[in-house]
Amino acid sequence: MKALALRLFVVIGLGILATGCGRAPGKTPAPTSKPNVIIVLVDTLRADHMGSYEYDRPTTPFLDQFATESVVFDRARSQAGCTFPSVNSLLTSRYPFDFIRQGEGQMGIPDEYPSIAEILKTRGYTTVAVSASPIVRATPSKENPNAGFDRGFDVFDEKCLWGNAKCINKRAARLLRDVQEPFFLYLHYMDPHGHYSPPAEYAKQFATEYEGYDFIAEGDHNPIAEMLYNDGPEIEISDRDIQHLLDLYDDEIRYFDGQFELLVDQLRNQGLFENSLIVLTSDHGEEFLEHGHVGHCRGVWDTLTRVPLMVRLPGASATGRVEEAVQLVDVVPTILNTLGADGDFPTFEGATLVPALEGGPPSRTYAFADQSRYRATDDGRWQLILDGVESTATLYDLHSDPLQQTDLFTGSHPEVDRLSAALNQWLRDTGQWVNFDQALAASKAKEEELKALGYLR
């Protein structure tokens, strides 16, 4: 690590910032039969654009109702601001560095790390996936030429490539007609990933008439990305242009909300809903120039890595809100702990959230994120971000400044030593501390691969 970064992140004793919970989740007896497990991942969904996370637009009326039957984690952190490697981390409980440093063209889950599908399959679960993602694939795509996400799945349906939620629901309903319980179902929806363009039959709730660039009207931010990242033509972008993109993005979320209601109705009609453990989350968020970027894959701010996380236990046996910081790498240990199938999994880097589901604090204080040149830690209120290229750091109060517009970093700030100690320890634990320049180079190489494959501008 460069000299300045070393001076900024001097390891000292770890401190703990305790934050209170809302209505405490409660523990009730589990059902007698093995519950089904369903992970619903909504690509590119920002937590702060959902009603249950205090958004001022009614984008998620059904999800808000679903939240009242779930344990809602207010400060859930995805481990990367990009589908690759965020989904890898989610499904394996490993931090991103193990996936970023894979060889050229490799984005799938490495053989040495068991995925939740493999683990549940060995425990008698039927394992099924339906994915519209061009990255999370069983077979090669333009954006992921080596695929590699299907290990452990009995069925991996990818016929909805880039399709909308209606397509995913239709494929899932077909597979669930004859599925043998208990089952593990992974659903990867692409709403509201760009282009922000809900289906024509959907009546827009938020986007109004717009007069301006055709690409903005179509919900396409790529010309802005070309200008920002590839020396593309200069474009004068107004607040109205960005607001229209945001309106279309919110309409995509509202469309998904209605389709999620239909999915739940389908599960209820088939008698599968009440005996299912359901996790709803996202792989990352989206930037709309809050930090000079559009799209994703280029940062670790809340706009990109604060994601929804709702866990509905069978029979809605625990509800409430958890305010402390948690991570997506915690999801797999939580599922297995809930099922009583913990076992010995030395490769896991996350921690079970069952203590939080039962009304206590999470097992850990800090969450971490790793994307491009940035490494970050937060405790649910304060986020410290290291720019590894510039060897500088920024500090944000996430409560008073949720869009992170005001950098509070000074060497004497009372939160800096505690957070820098936690970040330093995480860099050591993940193997990045020994040669940080190589870790940054690996991140840059993967970013260039995604650009070459057309996934990034």
Side-chain angles (χ1 to χ4, degrees):
M1 187 181 292
K2 298 178 182 178
L4 178 55
L6 283 170
R7 290 197 295 272
L8 288 171
F9 295 91
V10 178
V11 178
I12 64 171
L14 296 180
I16 297 176
L17 176 65
T19 58
C21 287
R23 181 164 54 95
K27 184 177 182 180
T28 60
T32 55
S33 59
K34 283 184 179 179
N36 305 310
V37 177
I38 303 172
I39 294 179
V40 176
L41 187 139
V42 190
D43 207 302
T44 321
L45 177 58
R46 278 172 59 160
D48 66 348
H49 276 245
M50 301 172 64
S52 47
Y53 289 87
E54 301 185 348
Y55 194 40
D56 58 4
R57 275 180 162 177
T59 52
T60 52
F62 183 77
L63 277 163
D64 298 344
Q65 177 185 328
F66 180 80
T68 66
E69 302 178 9
S70 308
V71 177
V72 178
F73 294 88
D74 286 329
R75 300 299 318 180
R77 182 75 60 188
S78 66
Q79 273 45 81
C82 199
T83 301
F84 166 79
S86 179
V87 174
N88 308 57
S89 291
L90 168 69
L91 297 179
T92 65
S93 189
R94 297 288 301 184
Y95 287 114
F97 186 52
D98 285 316
F99 311 112
I100 291 171
R101 61 182 173 179
Q102 291 186 90
E104 184 176 351
Q106 300 298 321
M107 296 184 202
I109 297 172
D111 292 340
E112 61 264 35
Y113 301 130
S115 71
I116 182 62
E118 291 178 289
I119 294 167
L120 290 180
K121 185 176 175 64
T122 65
R123 284 159 172 75
Y125 277 73
T126 306
T127 54
V128 179
V130 185
S131 175
S133 171
I135 298 293
V136 183
R137 300 277 296 171
T139 60
S141 67
K142 174 178 175 288
E143 294 82 0
N144 181 2
N146 288 291
F149 282 90
D150 60 325
R151 206 172 67 244
F153 283 102
D154 296 311
V155 178
F156 198 106
D157 188 313
E158 49 191 18
K159 291 183 172 61
C160 293
L161 178 62
W162 286 113
N164 60 36
K166 182 178 181 180
C167 180
I168 292 286
N169 282 357
K170 182 178 179 181
R171 301 301 301 177
R174 181 176 301 178
L175 291 168
L176 288 174
R177 284 193 206 114
D178 303 311
V179 72
Q180 181 177 345
E181 298 185 77
F183 61 81
F184 168 56
L185 175 65
Y186 174 80
L187 300 176
H188 192 125
Y189 292 85
M190 286 300 286
D191 327 83
H193 193 287
H195 301 354
Y196 318 122
S197 179
E201 65 271 17
Y202 165 79
K204 294 183 178 66
Q205 309 287 306
F206 309 112
T208 57
E209 290 297 320
Y210 165 80
E211 294 183 2
Y213 298 110
D214 288 344
F215 68 86
I216 297 286
E218 295 167 1
D220 179 9
H221 67 254
N222 283 325
I224 303 175
E226 288 288 344
M227 175 182 68
L228 293 175
Y229 311 121
N230 296 328
D231 296 322
E234 287 291 324
I235 306 169
E236 187 173 334
I237 299 298
S238 68
D239 291 344
R240 177 69 186 99
D241 297 327
I242 295 299
Q243 185 58 53
H244 191 69
L245 290 176
L246 279 163
D247 293 344
L248 291 170
Y249 176 77
D250 284 347
D251 271 319
E252 286 265 35
I253 296 171
R254 181 64 185 86
Y255 166 72
F256 168 78
D257 184 81
Q259 291 297 313
F260 182 65
E261 181 175 10
L262 295 177
L263 172 71
V264 169
D265 287 345
Q266 176 72 26
L267 292 169
R268 289 189 191 277
N269 292 339
Q270 292 183 242
L272 302 173
F273 183 71
E274 288 303 326
N275 192 35
S276 292
L277 189 166
I278 303 175
V279 176
L280 183 134
T281 191
S282 180
D283 50 349
H284 56 76
E286 193 80 321
E287 275 271 300
F288 292 90
L289 292 181
E290 293 90 345
H291 305 96
H293 295 277
V294 292
H296 45 272
C297 297
R298 289 186 169 90
V300 293
W301 307 280
D302 265 17
T303 49
L304 289 169
T305 60
R306 185 190 175 202
V307 294
L309 180 59
M310 302 177 184
V311 178
R312 187 189 188 278
L313 296 176
S317 58
T319 60
R321 303 189 78 93
V322 176
E323 296 176 2
E324 290 93 343
V326 301
Q327 313 178 89
L328 291 194
V329 289
D330 300 333
V331 168
V332 167
T334 302
I335 290 171
L336 295 176
N337 194 186
T338 302
L339 300 180
D342 307 46
D344 181 18
F345 300 105
T347 63
F348 288 175
E349 294 182 318
T352 178
L353 299 175
V354 165
L357 295 174
E358 296 177 349
S363 303
R364 295 182 181 175
T365 302
Y366 300 100
F368 302 95
D370 174 348
Q371 185 67 58
S372 187
R373 64 202 289 170
Y374 301 105
R375 306 293 183 269
T377 186
D378 74 276
D379 60 10
R381 177 175 179 180
W382 299 95
Q383 186 186 41
L384 183 71
I385 301 175
L386 167 66
D387 182 331
V389 174
E390 296 295 331
S391 293
T392 57
T394 49
L395 177 71
Y396 299 100
D397 184 340
L398 303 175
H399 287 188
S400 64
D401 181 23
L403 291 180
Q404 296 169 276
Q405 300 298 294
T406 303
D407 175 20
L408 301 175
F409 182 86
T410 65
S412 60
H413 194 287
E415 305 298 334
V416 167
D417 284 347
R418 178 176 60 83
L419 291 166
S420 63
L423 184 56
N424 267 335
Q425 188 59 54
W426 179 72
L427 290 171
R428 286 191 174 91
D429 291 343
T430 56
Q432 300 184 68
W433 181 270
V434 175
N435 194 327
F436 193 59
D437 287 339
Q438 285 188 6
L440 290 173
S443 297
K444 181 64 176 176
K446 280 300 177 186
E447 186 176 312
E448 292 301 317
E449 278 186 43
L450 289 172
K451 289 175 68 174
L453 293 167
Y455 187 75
L456 277 182
R457 294 290 174 172

